[in-house]
Amino acid sequence: LEGIREKGNVRYYFVSLHWVTQTVSSTGNVNVWPGNTMEVITTIVLLVVGMTSYRLITGEISSRVMSADEEILKLREELGAVQRFISGINIPDNDALALQIREHFHSSK
C-alpha cells in the first residue's frame, strides 16, 4: 500500500474498487495485494467474473429446485382431486376400483 501515494489518484480509485470487490465477493484477503494497477484491474475483473458465475449457477440450481417443488405441489393437488372423486362416488379407499383409478392416474403422469 505504500506505493499508492506515489502513483496518483487513479491508483487510489482502482485499489479502492479492488478492496470493495474483494469484500463483496467474500474473498477479502488483506495480506495479499496486487503489485501494480494492471494487476489490480485484472483481479477486479476476475473477482467480478467469479461472483457472476457463482450467482448464475446458484440461481439456476434454485430455479430448478423451485420448479420441482411446483411440480410436486401440482401432482399433490391432482391426486387430491382424484381422491375427492373416489370419495364423492362412495367407493371405499381400499376397494379394487379405487386402486385402479389411482393406478391409472399415476401411470398417466
Side-chain angles (χ1 to χ4, degrees):
L1 287 176
E2 278 115 37
I4 293 173
R5 291 186 199 95
E6 300 167 8
K7 304 288 181 175
N9 290 335
V10 173
R11 177 121 169 112
Y12 279 123
Y13 173 75
F14 284 116
V15 169
S16 299
L17 187 59
H18 174 265
W19 178 84
V20 168
T21 307
Q22 266 193 322
T23 302
V24 169
S25 69
S26 299
T27 60
N29 185 352
V30 295
N31 296 328
V32 178
W33 282 89
N36 58 43
T37 304
M38 188 52 82
E39 289 176 2
V40 171
I41 293 169
T42 303
T43 305
I44 291 169
V45 169
L46 291 174
L47 286 169
V48 169
V49 168
M51 287 187 301
T52 303
S53 300
Y54 177 77
R55 290 183 176 132
L56 286 173
I57 292 168
T58 305
E60 183 63 29
I61 291 170
S62 175
S63 174
R64 289 179 187 230
V65 168
M66 292 297 290
S67 175
D69 285 347
E70 289 173 2
E71 290 176 19
I72 290 171
L73 287 174
K74 183 180 175 187
L75 184 63
R76 285 183 181 166
E77 287 176 10
E78 291 173 353
L79 187 57
V82 169
Q83 186 59 41
R84 285 189 299 277
F85 170 75
I86 291 170
S87 297
I89 58 174
N90 297 323
I91 300 174
D93 278 345
N94 58 357
D95 187 70
L97 180 58
L99 296 175
Q100 286 178 346
I101 292 171
R102 282 192 205 97
E103 180 62 33
H104 177 72
F105 172 76
H106 285 295
S107 66
S108 68
K109 293 294 171 183

